[in-house]
C-alpha cells in the first residue's frame, strides 16, 4: 500500500486566515497542522513562514479564523487552494453569477477584502466536496465573526448542518451553547494539535480489543477479528461498544437518511446511544491500525507529558509531545518530518490541481501557483485591500 | 606565432620595407630607376652591419610566417612582397587570373603594390598606434622596450642559435612602433632612444643583438626622417615603385606574392580587412591613373617597358598593367563579378571556390530546368496532345497543392482527376509512361485510402460540437477529443458507406497504380485482421451501433470474415470494371489486382466487421479511445454514479478485509483516505463495475466527479510513486 494510506488521520489540520495587526487589510490564507508554530513562523519568531508575511511593517499577524477538521493533508491543501484561488476553484466559480466573476481580476495578485474571503469561504463550505467533510470554522476575532454573521444572513444558501462555527478568542459577547464552551480554546495556542486528547480513547480501544473473544460487532453481533478487520470503538469514555467499520457506517448512514452519502458525519452509538462523531472514531481507528505508526504512536503516548495549557507545544502531526524546555529541539525534530510530508502531499496535490484544471477547461491557464504551494506547505498569500 | 606574425605584417610594413626595398631596387632599380628613388640609394649605402642584421631578421621573420620559404635571397623581395600584399590585396583576385599563366606579372604588381604601401602605411599608422596594445597582448615579443631582456629570453628559448634574429624580431616591433610615430613627425625622439639603446647594448652581448636591431631601426628612422625631410615619403615611393614594373623578369617575386597573400588575409579585424581592401583599391586606382599619366606624359620610357612586358607576357598582364582601351573594355567585360557580403567573400580562401560554387549552382539549376523541360516533353510525347500535357503538369501541381498540413490529400482532388480527359489517354499509353507516372500513382493511392473521411481537424469548434451532438454524444470540451470521437464515429459509420466514395477513384487505379500498390495493400489487411481480433477480446469495446451479442459472434470468427471480405470486395470491384474496360489486359491479372487492391480501402469490408476496422490503426490508441467514448457516454446515463457506489458497496463480500490487510475501497473512503483516482478507476473498470454487471467503463474524470459528489477526498496519483 502507499505510504499515504498507512498514515493515520492527522490530529489536526486546518486552513487559516491571517490578518496583519498593523495593516488590517493585509490578509493571508494558509494551511497547517500546527497553527501556533505556523503563526510564530509568520511573525518571524521562528524560521520559516511565507515570504509574503515577512514584511516587518505587517507583523505581527493574527489568526482571525481557522477551518479545522480536515481528514487529510490532501484535503486541507485542496481546500486551501480553492480558497486562495476563488477565480479558478470550480466550487466558487460555479456559484458566482457571471457578472461577478467577470470583472474579478485574474491571478494570484488579486487583492481581496476580508469580506470577499469570507464570502468565498462560505461558498466553499457549501460546495460539493467540502460540504461533506467534517469541518468546523473557528473564529478568533470578533469583528470577523460579525462580518461572517452578516454575510451568512445575506447569502442565500445554508451551510451544512454538521458544520460547526465555533466562536473563540476575543469574541466574548457571543452566546455559547454548552458544547461550544467545551470547544473553546481561547487562542491559537490552545488548539489541540496533537493526539494527546485522544490518548484515553486510544488506550480504551486497545484495551477493549486485546481480549477479542468477547468482542462482537455492536451492529451485526458477529464476533470481531480485530487483527483482520477494521473495528470501530465508541469514542465515549464509558462506552465499550465495538463494531465493524462497514456495519457502523451503514447504520449511521441509514439513520441519517442520506442514501447518497458514503461517509457519515456522526451517528448514535449502538452501545451507548450517544451521538459520536465519525471523524473522531476514524482518527482513532487509523491511529490504532495504521501499520508502523502504531508502535510509534504508542511509544510517544507513553512518553507524553502534557503541558498544562499546551502553549508552544512543538510537534509534528504524529503527536510528539514535548516539554516546553525542549521546544527548540522538538521543533527541529518536527520539521523534517513535516517537510517529508510536504513533498509527498504537495505532489499529489499538484497532480490533483493540474488534473482539475485540465478537466475544467483547456482554455484556462494551468496555474503556476501550485508550484508555490509545493514550496511551502502553508503556502498562502496575502490579500491586501487598497 | 602565426598570430604574432600577422600583427607584425600589419605594423612592420613601412620601415622594414624601406630597408628591404633598398636592396631590391639596388639590384634592379638602380639600373633603370635610379633617378626615381634617391632615398633608396641612400638606404642602400647604409652601413653593412645593419644589412647583416637585417637579412637574418627578415629570413627569420619569414620563416616564422611562412615556413616554406625556400629562397634565402627572396627574403628581400619577400618583404617588398609582404608590403605589396598588404596594399595589393584587392589585386589578389585579379592576379589570380593571370597567375596560372605567368608569374612575371606578379612582380610588376608587387612593385606597384609597394607604392600603395606607403599610402596604406600612412593611414594604417594611425590605427596602428591604437593597435599597439593589441600587439602587446598578442605578442610576447613585442614587449615594451624597457624590458628587452625578457623578450630576448623568450626568444632564446625558441632558438638558441639565432640570438640576433630574436633580438631583431623584438626590435622590429619596436621599430615599427617608433617608425609609425616618425611618420607623424615624432621621429626625432625615437631616434634618440634608439641611439642610447645602441650605446648601452654595445656593452652586453645579448644587447648586441639588440644593438644590431636598434641600429637597424635607427637607420630606418633616419631614413624615414631623411625621406620626410627631402620629400613627402609616400608620393615619392609610389613613383619609385610605379616605375619598377620593369622587373617582371624576376620569377622569385611571384613566389613572394604567393606567400604574401596569406598574411594579407590574416588581418586582425574585419574592418581592417575590408578597409584595407578598399584602401588598396583606391591606391591601385591612383597608381593606374598615375601610370596612365606617366604613359601619356612620358610616353617613351614607360610605354617601352610596358610593351616589352606585354610582349613577353601578353595574356596575363593586360589586366594588370596599362591596357589599350579595347583591352581594358575587354577585361572589364570579362571581369567576373562575385557577389556576396564582404565577410562571405573574405571567408572564402579563393575566389575560384566561389566561382565554382556558382557554376555548380547554375549547372544544377540548368539541369533541373532541363529535367523539367524533358519531362514536360516526355509527358507530351506520351499523351500526344499538348493540352493533355499541360493538364498533367497542372495535375502535379494540384497534387502537391491539394495536400493539407498533415500531408493528407484533400478529397476534392480525386473527382477532378477521375473526370479528367487525360486519364484514358494516359492509360492507352500506359505501358510507355509507367515509370513517369509512378509518382502520380503513389499520390493517387494515398488519396484513395484517406480521402473519404471529412477532415475534422479543419472544422471549427462549433461544427465539431454540432457533429458530435449529431452522433448523440454529450458535448465535449477538448477539441482533439472531439476530433478523435468524430473520426471514430465516421469510421464506424462509413464502413458500409465508403464503397460509394471509393467508386470515384476506382477507375484510375487499375490502370497504373497496381504495381506500386501491391505490397502496401497486402500488408495492411493482415494487420487489421490481427488487431481486430485482439482488440475485441481485450477490451470489449463496442461501437455504439452494435449490440454486444453480435459483437461477440464476430470475434469468434474473424478469419472467416476476412476472407469473405476479400470476395465481397472483388464483387464490388467488378462493378467498377464495367466503367473502364480499355486498359484491362487480362481477367486473371485484373483479379489479382483487385484482390490486392480492395484490401487497401477497407470501408468495403462486410458490415459485420466494420466496427472493428476503425480500431486497426493502433491498438492502444483505439482502446483508450474506446474507453473515453464510453466514459463520455457513461456520463450521459444517469445511473453510472449509482453503479459505482454499488460497486463500492459490493466489494466487501468479495474481498474480506481479514484476508489481506488492505482495506476495501469502501473502507478507505470511510476512513477518509484520499483516493487515488487512477487506482480506483482501474479497479472499477477491471473488477468493480463487473460486480454490478455494468459493462461500461469509467474514466478518471468521471470517477472524480463521483468522488467529489460524495465528499470523498480524491487526487491523482503523484508522479513519483507507483
Amino acid at each position: 500500500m502507499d505510504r499515504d494510506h498507512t498514515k493515520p488521520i492527522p490530529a489536526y489540520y486546518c486552513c487559516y486566515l491571517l490578518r496583519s495587526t498593523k495593516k488590517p487589510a493585509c490578509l493571508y490564507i494558509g494551511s497547517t497542522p500546527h497553527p501556533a508554530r505556523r503563526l510564530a513562523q509568520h511573525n518571524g519568531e521562528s524560521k520559516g513562514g511565507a515570504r509574503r508575511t515577512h514584511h516587518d511593517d505587517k507583523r505581527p499577524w493574527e489568526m482571525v479564523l481557522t477551518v479545522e477538521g480536515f481528514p487529510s493533508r490532501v484535503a486541507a491543501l485542496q481546500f486551501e487552494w480553492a480558497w486562495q484561488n476563488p477565480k479558478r476553484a470550480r466550487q466558487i466559480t460555479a456559484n458566482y453569477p457571471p457578472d461577478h466573476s467577470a470583472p474579478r481580476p485574474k491571478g494570484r495578485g488579486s487583492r481581496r477584502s476580508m469580506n470577499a474571503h469570507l464570502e468565498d469561504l462560505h461558498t466553499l463550505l457549501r460546495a460539493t466536496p467540502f460540504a461533506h467533510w467534517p469541518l468546523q470554522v473557528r473564529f478568533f476575532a470578533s469583528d470577523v465573526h460579525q462580518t461572517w454573521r452578516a454575510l451568512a444572513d445575506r447569502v442565500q444558501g445554508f451551510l451544512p448542518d454538521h458544520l460547526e462555527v465555533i466562536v473563540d478568542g476575543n469574541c466574548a459577547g457571543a452566546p455559547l451553547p454548552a458544547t461550544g464552551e467545551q470547544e473553546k480554546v481561547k487562542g491559537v495556542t490552545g488548539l489541540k494539535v496533537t493526539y494527546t486528547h485522544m490518548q484515553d480513547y486510544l488506550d480504551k480501544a486497545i484495551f477493549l480489543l486485546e481480549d477479542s473473544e468477547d468482542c462482537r460487532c455492536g451492529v451485526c453481533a458477529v464476533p470481531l477479528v480485530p487483527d483482520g478487520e477494521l473495528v470501530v470503538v465508541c469514542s465515549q469514555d464509558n462506552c465499550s461498544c465495538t463494531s465493524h467499520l462497514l456495519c457502523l457506517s451503514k447504520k449511521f448512514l441509514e439513520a441519517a437518511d442520506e442514501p447518497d452519502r458514503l461517509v457519515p458525519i456522526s451517528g448514535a452509538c449502538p452501545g451507548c446511544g450517544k451521538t459520536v462523531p465519525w471523524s473522531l472514531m476514524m482518527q482513532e481507528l487509523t491511529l490504532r491500525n495504521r501499520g508502523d505508526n502504531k508502535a510509534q504512536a504508542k511509544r510517544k503516548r507513553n512518553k507524553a507529558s502534557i503541558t498544562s495549557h499546551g502553549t508552544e507545544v512543538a510537534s509534528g502531526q504524529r503527536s510528539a509531545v514535548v516539554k516546553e524546555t525542549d521546544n527548540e529541539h522538538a521543533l527541529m525534530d518536527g520539521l523534517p518530518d513535516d517537510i517529508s510530508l510536504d513533498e509527498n502531499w504537495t505532489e499529489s496535490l499538484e497532480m490533483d490541481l493540474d488534473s482539475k484544471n485540465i478537466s475544467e477547461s483547456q482554455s484556462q491557464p494551468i496555474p503556476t501557483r501550485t508550484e508555490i504551494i509545493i514550496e511551502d506547505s502553508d503556502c498562502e498569500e496575502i490579500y491586501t485591500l487598497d | 606565432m602565426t598570430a604574432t606574425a600577422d600583427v607584425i605584417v600589419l605594423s612592420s610594413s613601412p620601415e622594414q620595407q624601406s630597408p628591404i626595398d633598398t636592396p631590391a631596387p639596388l639590384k634592379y632599380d638602380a639600373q633603370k630607376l635610379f633617378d626615381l628613388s634617391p632615398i633608396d640609394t641612400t638606404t642602400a649605402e647604409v652601413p653593412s652591419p645593419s644589412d647583416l642584421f637585417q637579412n637574418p631578421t627578415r629570413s627569420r621573420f619569414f620563416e616564422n610566417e611562412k615556413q616554406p620559404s625556400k629562397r634565402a635571397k627572396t627574403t628581400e623581395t619577400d618583404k617588398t612582397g609582404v608590403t605589396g600584399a598588404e596594399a595589393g590585396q584587392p589585386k589578389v583576385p585579379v592576379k589570380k587570373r593571370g597567375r596560372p599563366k605567368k608569374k612575371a606579372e606578379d612582380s610588376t604588381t608587387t612593385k606597384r603594390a609597394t607604392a600603395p604601401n606607403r599610402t596604406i602605411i600612412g593611414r594604417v599608422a594611425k590605427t596602428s598606434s591604437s593597435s599597439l596594445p593589441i600587439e602587446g597582448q598578442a605578442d610576447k615579443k613585442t614587449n615594451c622596450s624597457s624590458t628587452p631582456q625578457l623578450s630576448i629570453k623568450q626568444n632564446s628559448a625558441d632558438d638558441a642559435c639565432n640570438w640576433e634574429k630574436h633580438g631583431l624580431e623584438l626590435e622590429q616591433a619596436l621599430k615599427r612602433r617608433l617608425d609609425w610615430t616618425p611618420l607623424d613627425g615624432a621621429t626625432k625622439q625615437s631616434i634618440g632612444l634608439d641611439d642610447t639603446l645602441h650605446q648601452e647594448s654595445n656593452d652586453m652581448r645579448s644587447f648586441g643583438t639588440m644593438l644590431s636591431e636598434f641600429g637597424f631601426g635607427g637607420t630606418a628612422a633616419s631614413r624615414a626622417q631623411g625621406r620626410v625631410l627631402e620629400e613627402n615619403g609616400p608620393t615619392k615611393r609610389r613613383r619609385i615603385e610605379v616605375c619598377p614594373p620593369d622587373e617582371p623578369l624576376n620569377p622569385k617575386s611571384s613566389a613572394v606574392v604567393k606567400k604574401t597573400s596569406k598574411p594579407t588575409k590574416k588581418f586582425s579585424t574585419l574592418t581592417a580587412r575590408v578597409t584595407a581592401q578598399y584602401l588598396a583599391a583606391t591606391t591601385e586606382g591612383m597608381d593606374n591613373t598615375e601610370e596612365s599619366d606617366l604613359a601619356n606624359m612620358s610616353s617613351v620610357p614607360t610605354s617601352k617597358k610596358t610593351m616589352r612586358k606585354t610582349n613577353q607576357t601578353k595574356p596575363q598582364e593586360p589586366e594588370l598593367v596599362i591596357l589599350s582601351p579595347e583591352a581594358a573594355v575587354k577585361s572589364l567585360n570579362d571581369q567576373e563579378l562575385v557577389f556576396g557580403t564582404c565577410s562571405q567573400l573574405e571567408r572564402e580562401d579563393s575566389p575560384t571556390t566561389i566561382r565554382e560554387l556558382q557554376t555548380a549552382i547554375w549547372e544544377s539549376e540548368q539541369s533541373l530546368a532541363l529535367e523539367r523541360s524533358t519531362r514536360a516533353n516526355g509527358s507530351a510525347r506520351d499523351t500526344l496532345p499538348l493540352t493533355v500535357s499541360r493538364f498533367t503538369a497542372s495535375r502535379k501541381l494540384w497534387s502537391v497543392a491539394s495536400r493539407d498540413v498533415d500531408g493528407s490529400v484533400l478529397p476534392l482532388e480525386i473527382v477532378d482527376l477521375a473526370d479528367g480527359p487525360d486519364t484514358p489517354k494516359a492509360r492507352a499509353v500506359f505501358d510507355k509512361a509507367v515509370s513517369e507516372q509512378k509518382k502520380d500513382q503513389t499520390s493517387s493511392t494515398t488519396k484513395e485510402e484517406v480521402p473519404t473521411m471529412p477532415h475534422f481537424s479543419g472544422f471549427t469548434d462549433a461544427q465539431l460540437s454540432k457533429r458530435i451532438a449529431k452522433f448523440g454524444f454529450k458535448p465535449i470540451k477538448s477539441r482533439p477529443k472531439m476530433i478523435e470521437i468524430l473520426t471514430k464515429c465516421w469510421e464506424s459509420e462509413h464502413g458500409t458507406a465508403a464503397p460509394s466514395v471509393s467508386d470515384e477513384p476506382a477507375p484510375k487505379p487499375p490502370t497504373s497504380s497496381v504495381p506500386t500498390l501491391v505490397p502496401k495493400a497486402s500488408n495492411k489487411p493482415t494487420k487489421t485482421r490481427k488487431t481486430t481480433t485482439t482488440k475485441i477480446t481485450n477490451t470489449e469495446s463496442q461501437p455504439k451501433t452494435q449490440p454486444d451479442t453480435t459483437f461477440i459472434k464476430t470475434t469468434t470468427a474473424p478469419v472467416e470474415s476476412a476472407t469473405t471480405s476479400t470476395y465481397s470486395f472483388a464483387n464490388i470491384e467488378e462493378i467498377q470494371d464495367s466503367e473502364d474496360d480499355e486498359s484491362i489486359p487480362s481477367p486473371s491479372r485484373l483479379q489479382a489486382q483487385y484482390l490486392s487492391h480492395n484490401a487497401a480501402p477497407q470501408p468495403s469490408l462486410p458490415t459485420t466487421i466494420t466496427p472493428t476496422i476503425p480500431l486497426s490503426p493502433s491498438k492502444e490508441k483505439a482502446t483508450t479511445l474506446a474507453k473515453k467514448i464510453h466514459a463520455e457516454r457513461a456520463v450521459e446515463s444517469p445511473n453510472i454514479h449509482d453503479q459505482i457506489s454499488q460497486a463500492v458497496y459490493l466489494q466487501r463480500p468479495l474481498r474480506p478485509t481479514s484476508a489481506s490487510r488492505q482495506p476495501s475501497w469502501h473502507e478507505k473512503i470511510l476512513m477518509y483516505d484520499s483516493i487515488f483516482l487512477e487506482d480506483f478507476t482501474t479497479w472499477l473498470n477491471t473488477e468493480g463495475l463487473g460486480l454490478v454487471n455494468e459493462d461500461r467503463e469509467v474514466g478518471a474524470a468521471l470517477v472524480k466527479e463521483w468522488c467529489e459528489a460524495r465528499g470523498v477526498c480524491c487526487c491523482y496519483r503523484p508522479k513519483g510513486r507507483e
Side-chain angles (χ1 to χ4, degrees):
Chain A
M1 281 309 283
D2 288 80
R3 262 177 66 200
D4 295 306
H5 293 265
T6 62
K7 284 174 189 161
I9 295 171
Y12 183 87
Y13 221 109
C14 75
C15 284
Y16 57 85
L17 180 64
L18 280 190
R19 183 174 64 180
S20 167
T21 51
K22 291 185 182 170
K23 292 183 180 176
C26 292
L27 302 174
Y28 183 91
I29 294 172
S31 67
T32 180
H34 197 310
R37 188 185 67 196
R38 186 67 184 147
L39 184 61
Q41 286 178 338
H42 282 307
N43 285 332
E45 294 160 18
S46 57
K47 273 192 174 182
R51 194 164 40 82
R52 281 179 155 253
T53 58
H54 271 214
H55 304 286
D56 276 339
D57 56 343
K58 291 172 187 169
R59 283 173 174 169
W61 297 84
E62 62 172 344
M63 207 169 273
V64 292
L65 75 86
T66 57
V67 180
E68 308 170 338
F70 290 100
S72 69
R73 189 184 180 112
V74 171
L77 291 179
Q78 283 178 352
F79 187 87
E80 179 194 3
W81 186 88
W83 198 5
Q84 283 177 343
N85 305 276
K87 188 82 171 74
R88 299 199 188 116
R90 243 169 325 156
Q91 297 86 1
I92 293 182
T93 52
N95 293 345
Y96 265 113
D99 58 344
H100 265 247
S101 57
R104 187 172 296 167
K106 282 184 183 177
R108 186 160 207 163
S110 65
R111 316 196 142 193
R112 321 198 64 228
S113 66
M114 172 66 76
N115 225 329
H117 276 307
L118 292 180
E119 204 174 322
D120 290 338
L121 177 61
H122 204 276
T123 315
L124 282 178
L125 291 174
R126 281 182 283 132
T128 43
F130 308 127
H132 296 286
W133 294 352
L135 302 179
Q136 51 191 351
V137 185
R138 186 186 298 270
F139 287 94
F140 288 107
S142 58
D143 58 328
V144 177
H145 185 237
Q146 286 283 356
T147 41
W148 172 260
R149 280 195 301 183
L151 182 93
D153 290 342
R154 198 181 72 232
V155 167
Q156 296 174 350
F158 298 97
L159 293 175
D161 292 334
H162 66 270
L163 190 128
E164 270 188 88
V165 176
I166 303 164
V167 181
D168 210 327
N170 63 357
C171 315
L176 294 173
T179 55
E181 201 65 48
Q182 281 181 5
E183 307 254 348
K184 258 190 138 177
V185 293
K186 305 293 184 193
V188 175
T189 52
L191 292 170
K192 299 170 189 168
V193 295
T194 67
Y195 291 111
T196 51
H197 61 279
M198 290 178 55
Q199 190 175 345
D200 292 341
Y201 179 22
L202 194 59
D203 287 342
K204 183 194 82 174
I206 291 171
F207 174 78
L208 278 177
L209 295 177
E210 266 171 1
D211 42 17
S212 54
E213 298 87 18
D214 303 341
C215 282
R216 287 181 170 268
C217 174
V219 181
C220 64
V222 171
L224 294 168
V225 188
D227 287 338
E229 293 172 329
L230 295 170
V231 179
V232 184
V233 181
C234 178
S235 64
Q236 296 295 320
D237 287 342
N238 50 7
C239 177
S240 59
C241 177
T242 56
S243 49
H244 286 123
L245 175 68
L246 294 174
C247 292
L248 192 63
S249 72
K250 196 177 175 187
K251 181 176 173 11
F252 280 9
L253 286 174
E254 281 172 356
D257 196 21
E258 285 184 276
D260 251 9
R261 256 199 128 82
L262 270 180
V263 186
I265 292 296
S266 60
C269 170
C272 60
K274 288 180 181 172
T275 302
V276 287
W278 185 258
S279 60
L280 180 61
M281 290 195 292
M282 285 308 106
Q283 225 170 10
E284 186 273 333
L285 173 63
T286 54
L287 188 61
R288 171 162 40 94
N289 258 343
R290 290 286 157 90
D292 47 14
N293 293 327
K294 200 166 24 171
Q296 192 183 356
K298 208 168 184 177
R299 214 187 318 124
K300 282 182 181 174
R301 238 179 299 123
N302 293 338
K303 276 187 194 171
S305 65
I306 308 159
T307 54
S308 57
H309 51 73
T311 53
E312 298 292 320
V313 170
S315 73
Q317 63 192 54
R318 293 193 189 171
S319 79
V321 183
V322 198
K323 291 177 183 174
E324 279 187 359
T325 51
D326 294 337
N327 267 346
E328 292 290 326
H329 187 63
L331 245 184
M332 296 312 290
D333 282 347
L335 272 179
D337 180 29
D338 208 27
I339 285 167
S340 70
L341 277 178
D342 278 6
E343 287 168 6
N344 298 333
W345 284 98
T346 45
E347 271 174 23
S348 63
L349 178 69
E350 179 197 22
M351 289 290 295
D352 183 47
L353 293 179
D354 280 348
S355 61
K356 242 191 219 167
N357 267 306
I358 290 164
S359 64
E360 273 177 20
S361 70
Q362 297 276 2
S363 62
Q364 271 193 353
I366 289 171
T368 55
R369 305 153 128 215
T370 51
E371 295 174 5
I372 301 169
I373 289 174
I374 291 165
E375 285 172 4
D376 194 331
S377 73
D378 320 51
C379 65
E380 317 84 272
E381 174 165 292
I382 305 172
Y383 295 109
T384 319
L385 253 197
D386 281 334
Chain B
M1 289 299 289
T2 56
T4 63
D6 299 341
V7 177
I8 289 164
V9 170
L10 276 176
S11 61
S12 66
S13 54
E15 292 189 350
Q16 285 183 350
Q17 291 163 2
S18 62
I20 298 156
D21 295 343
T22 56
L26 280 179
K27 293 175 184 176
Y28 307 102
D29 298 356
Q31 303 165 358
K32 302 168 185 178
L33 308 173
F34 186 78
D35 35 352
L36 291 176
S37 61
I39 300 163
D40 289 359
T41 57
T42 60
T43 55
E45 292 169 1
V46 167
S48 63
S50 65
D51 290 347
L52 288 175
F53 291 109
Q54 289 169 1
N55 288 337
T57 60
R58 288 162 200 163
S59 64
R60 220 278 169 137
F61 172 71
F62 278 97
E63 282 173 6
N64 289 341
E65 278 189 353
K66 306 152 190 177
Q67 295 154 354
S69 68
K70 297 165 186 174
R71 303 152 192 171
K73 297 175 184 176
T74 56
T75 54
E76 298 173 358
T77 55
D78 285 3
K79 293 195 174 177
T80 60
V82 171
T83 58
E86 291 176 358
Q89 219 190 3
K91 287 184 179 179
V92 172
V94 183
K95 286 174 190 173
K96 284 188 177 176
R97 271 198 208 159
R99 223 184 243 172
K101 299 169 185 176
K102 291 184 182 179
K103 300 173 182 177
E105 295 178 0
D106 295 355
S107 65
T108 61
T109 57
T110 56
K111 288 190 178 177
R112 275 184 213 157
T114 53
N117 283 347
R118 270 293 154 183
T119 58
I120 291 167
I121 291 156
R123 292 172 190 174
V124 175
K126 296 166 188 172
T127 58
S128 68
S129 63
S130 64
S131 67
L132 284 179
I134 300 171
E135 288 182 7
Q137 296 170 358
D139 300 352
K140 300 171 185 176
K141 301 170 185 177
T142 60
N143 290 337
C144 302
S145 60
S146 62
T147 61
Q149 290 183 347
L150 290 175
S151 60
I152 290 166
K153 286 176 185 175
Q154 294 172 353
N155 294 331
S156 64
D158 297 337
D159 293 342
C161 306
N162 301 335
W163 280 95
E164 297 177 354
K165 294 173 184 176
H166 296 293
L168 285 174
E169 285 185 356
L170 288 172
E171 294 198 352
Q172 283 177 356
L174 286 175
K175 289 167 195 171
R176 287 160 205 158
R177 293 182 185 174
L178 297 174
D179 296 346
W180 290 113
T181 49
L183 287 180
D184 298 337
T187 52
K188 289 179 183 178
Q189 296 176 352
S190 66
I191 293 165
L193 285 175
D194 290 344
D195 292 342
T196 56
L197 286 174
H198 267 291
Q199 293 167 358
E200 294 174 1
S201 60
N202 285 333
D203 303 338
M204 310 287 281
R205 210 223 150 164
S206 61
F207 286 112
T209 59
M210 299 296 293
L211 272 179
S212 63
E213 297 162 0
F214 285 117
F216 172 57
T219 56
S222 64
R223 272 183 222 159
Q225 266 192 339
R227 288 172 203 165
V228 172
L229 291 173
E230 292 173 1
E231 306 171 24
N232 294 336
T235 55
K236 278 252 163 179
R237 278 248 148 178
R238 275 180 211 155
R239 280 183 190 172
I240 293 163
E241 289 167 21
V242 167
C243 304
D246 310 339
E247 309 165 352
L249 302 175
N250 285 350
K252 300 173 183 178
S253 62
S254 63
V256 172
V257 173
K258 285 179 185 172
K259 293 176 182 177
T260 56
S261 64
K262 288 180 183 175
T264 55
K265 288 165 192 167
K266 294 175 183 174
F267 279 112
S268 58
T269 63
L270 253 187
T271 52
R273 288 182 182 182
V274 177
T275 52
Q277 280 189 350
Y278 286 109
L279 286 174
T282 55
T283 53
E284 261 190 42
M286 294 281 286
D287 293 344
N288 289 334
T289 55
E290 286 184 16
E291 285 181 7
S292 59
D293 293 343
L294 284 175
N296 295 334
M297 300 289 283
S298 62
S299 60
V300 181
T302 53
S303 63
K304 282 176 184 175
K305 293 165 191 173
T306 53
M307 285 300 291
R308 287 174 199 166
K309 293 168 196 169
T310 51
N311 292 336
Q312 291 169 354
T313 63
K314 264 194 178 178
Q316 306 164 352
E317 289 186 4
E319 304 142 4
L320 307 174
V321 199
I322 305 160
L323 298 174
S324 66
E326 304 106 314
V329 170
K330 217 187 204 177
S331 68
L332 269 180
N333 290 337
D334 293 344
Q335 181 76 37
E336 290 180 24
L337 297 179
V338 179
F339 292 100
T341 64
C342 55
S343 58
Q344 281 176 341
L345 295 176
E346 191 61 34
R347 200 183 302 139
E348 303 301 331
D349 288 315
S350 67
T352 55
T353 57
I354 297 177
R355 242 173 263 147
E356 283 166 6
L357 246 181
Q358 285 182 337
T359 53
I361 291 171
W362 182 81
E363 278 177 10
S364 64
E365 279 175 355
Q366 269 218 333
S367 68
L368 271 179
L370 272 175
E371 257 186 48
R372 253 179 246 148
S373 61
T374 52
R375 220 187 253 172
N377 292 337
S379 61
R381 258 180 257 139
D382 295 339
T383 53
L384 296 180
L386 251 180
T387 56
V388 172
S389 73
R390 199 186 288 158
F391 187 85
T392 54
S394 65
R395 187 170 143 221
K396 281 174 195 167
L397 287 177
W398 264 112
S399 63
V400 173
S402 61
R403 293 183 179 277
D404 28 71
V405 184
D406 305 331
S408 58
V409 181
L410 291 176
L412 305 175
E413 241 315 282
I414 301 151
V415 180
D416 295 343
L417 286 175
D419 297 342
D422 61 329
T423 43
K425 290 167 187 173
R427 231 176 276 148
V429 203
F430 168 66
D431 293 339
K432 300 173 188 173
V434 172
S435 62
E436 276 197 9
Q437 291 186 346
K438 269 183 182 176
K439 291 177 183 176
D440 300 353
Q441 291 163 10
T442 53
S443 66
S444 68
T445 57
T446 53
K447 284 169 198 165
E448 288 170 23
E449 295 166 6
V450 187
T452 48
M453 192 177 66
H455 201 66
F456 289 115
S457 59
F459 285 18
T460 63
D461 285 353
Q463 283 173 320
L464 283 176
S465 55
K466 231 186 221 174
R467 288 240 174 179
I468 281 186
K470 208 178 78 183
F471 280 111
F473 284 113
K474 185 192 171 193
I476 305 164
K477 280 171 189 169
S478 78
R479 186 182 161 82
K481 246 189 201 173
M482 283 197 281
I483 292 172
E484 264 186 13
I485 289 172
L486 276 179
T487 51
K488 256 218 81 172
C489 289
W490 185 91
E491 281 170 353
S492 60
E493 192 179 78
H494 290 255
T496 54
S500 63
V501 187
S502 65
D503 285 350
E504 295 180 2
K508 288 186 305 173
T511 62
S512 56
S513 65
V514 179
T516 54
L517 258 185
V518 173
K520 293 179 187 174
S522 60
N523 287 340
K524 276 188 182 174
T526 56
K527 273 184 192 172
T528 55
R529 278 167 210 163
K530 286 175 188 172
T531 54
T532 50
T533 57
T534 52
K535 238 159 259 159
I536 292 157
T537 52
N538 282 346
T539 68
E540 303 166 354
S541 64
Q542 324 108 1
K544 255 187 174 182
T545 54
Q546 299 260 337
D548 299 348
T549 53
T550 58
F551 214 86
I552 294 158
K553 286 172 187 172
T554 56
T555 58
T556 53
V559 181
E560 296 174 6
S561 62
T563 53
T564 54
S565 74
T566 55
Y567 287 130
S568 67
F569 200 79
N571 294 334
I572 295 170
E573 281 292 331
E574 281 178 2
I575 299 167
Q576 295 170 351
D577 293 354
S578 59
E579 296 178 3
D580 50 0
D581 310 329
E582 313 167 359
S583 65
I584 301 162
S586 70
S588 64
R589 193 174 150 192
L590 228 191
Q591 186 69 14
Q593 286 176 6
Y594 289 134
L595 285 179
S596 61
H597 187 70
N598 46 22
Q602 294 162 352
S604 61
L605 293 174
T607 55
T608 52
I609 298 178
T610 49
T612 63
I613 290 169
L615 298 178
S616 61
S618 70
K619 293 180 188 176
E620 297 175 5
K621 270 189 181 178
T623 53
T624 53
L625 224 185
K627 277 184 188 174
K628 282 178 187 171
I629 288 178
H630 286 295
E632 298 300 335
R633 244 190 284 139
V635 175
E636 279 184 355
S637 69
N639 62 347
I640 188 67
H641 280 214
D642 298 338
Q643 294 282 39
I644 293 175
S645 320
Q646 277 303 317
V648 170
Y649 288 137
L650 284 175
Q651 190 189 1
R652 185 173 60 124
L654 281 186
R655 200 200 281 176
T657 52
S658 60
S660 66
R661 274 302 241 155
Q662 288 196 4
S664 68
W665 286 107
H666 190 198
E667 285 166 338
K668 278 188 192 174
I669 290 167
L670 283 176
M671 290 190 293
Y672 295 112
D673 279 346
S674 49
I675 303 293
F676 285 126
L677 286 172
E678 290 92 337
D679 297 346
F680 190 39
T681 317
T682 48
W683 174 81
L684 281 175
N685 287 332
T686 53
E687 284 181 54
L689 291 179
L691 296 175
V692 291
N693 295 324
E694 173 62 56
D695 289 332
R696 290 173 293 187
E697 290 193 357
V698 290
L702 174 77
V703 175
K704 191 182 176 192
E705 226 171 82
W706 177 86
C707 284
E708 291 190 341
R710 278 149 189 81
V712 176
C713 179
C714 62
C715 63
Y716 287 98
R717 178 177 286 279
K719 285 167 190 170
R721 284 171 288 160
E722 272 304 318

